[in-house]
Amino acid sequence: MGIASLLPGPLGFGTAPLGNMFRHVPDAEAAATVEAAWDHGIRYFDTAPFYGAGLAEIRLGEVLAAHPREAYVLSTKVGRLVLDEPEDPAARELGEKGGLFEYGRPNKLRNDYTADATMRSIEDSLGRLKTDRLDIVWVHDIAQDFYGDQWLAQYETARTGAFRVLEQLRSEGVVRAWGLGVNRVEPLELTLDLDEPTPDAFLLAGRYTLLDHARALQRLLPAAAERNVDIVVGGPYSSGILAGGTHFEYQKAPAEIVSRVARIKALAQRHGVGIKAAALQFSLAHTATVAAIPGATRPTRVAEDVAALGERIPAGFWTALREERLIAADAPVPAV
């Protein structure tokens, strides 16, 4: 179990923005951003059918098709099928994430975590990605933020469907690893308590960041580390608010979050620290986390991420964050 040996490094590339999240992204800009990630040495790419109804997978596949398949690690997700019939992307029912990909493709999405749908989803993704294999497959979004009170029913369908299919595919060597990709800790805690099946890793988005980490620290990360289930951190910039944007949790950031970010920025400036560096390195400091996958739609953002990973951050900055109660007292911080 675990995927640390599979991943080429701690920095990957998340493709949710390539699905036209929040705005229309020209094809050329999307392609240039993926190429920039490659040129900067990034070799782990994560995507999903959900991102723009297949748009992110298509765009990623177009670029990666020009590179040797053995040179990179690729993950995508199951749980939603992209259909040929049209629908209004802005009118999709997405729980707390309404309108997230309203600029994406108009293909209808169907939530389906059954065994048959999992196999079909993988085949469809292989076609869009122009590849013959996947390294990691995540079961996507079986959590409260998308399904509300029905999330446990969706989880049970996935447990008896997608989980077992992916376990079998791993045993056959068809995929190298599998796990859950969610925005909440509860499904991951529940999965760790199962006797079987046994995932290799989790992709946790937005729940281990400078702005939101206390709940994950309580049980999830220690339990994952104990069971050798690695954590990939998605959304290390909390939907952009920690990288100069205005979104938090995929929506316009509320006043209290804006105020908290302003306090962190003030301390960062006082210690000569880039806030992106602080956010990225914080998310990677726990022993359970093996990679972070910030997303981008502009090549310059990729360069910033690479620089942020290598920036030296003085110990006094982390001490100041603790003293101001801006990070949990027991949160691990990067070694100086």
Side-chain angles (χ1 to χ4, degrees), residues 228-244:
N228 195 30
V229 176
D230 293 326
I231 304 292
V232 174
V233 177
Y237 305 136
S238 293
S239 299
I241 189 69
L242 288 171

Side-chain angles (χ1 to χ4, degrees), residues 3 16 38 51 57 62 66 75 95 109 119 130 147-148 150 176 180 251 254 265 274 284 293 335:
I3 60 170
W38 185 275
Y51 303 156
E57 287 186 321
E62 289 286 343
S75 62
L109 292 174
M119 292 300 297
K130 295 186 175 183
Y147 298 111
Q150 298 302 309
R176 301 169 73 181
L180 278 65
Q251 305 294 331
K265 282 184 176 179
L284 289 168
I293 50 169

Side-chain angles (χ1 to χ4, degrees), residues 284-303:
L284 289 168
H286 198 284
T287 55
T289 63
V290 294
I293 50 169
T297 55
R298 293 185 175 90
T300 54
R301 297 289 188 258
V302 178

Side-chain angles (χ1 to χ4, degrees), residues 13 32 76 103 151 177 189 192 219 254 313:
F13 182 81
T76 192
Y103 301 103
W151 82 271
E189 293 175 342
L192 286 174
R219 177 172 180 262
I313 300 177

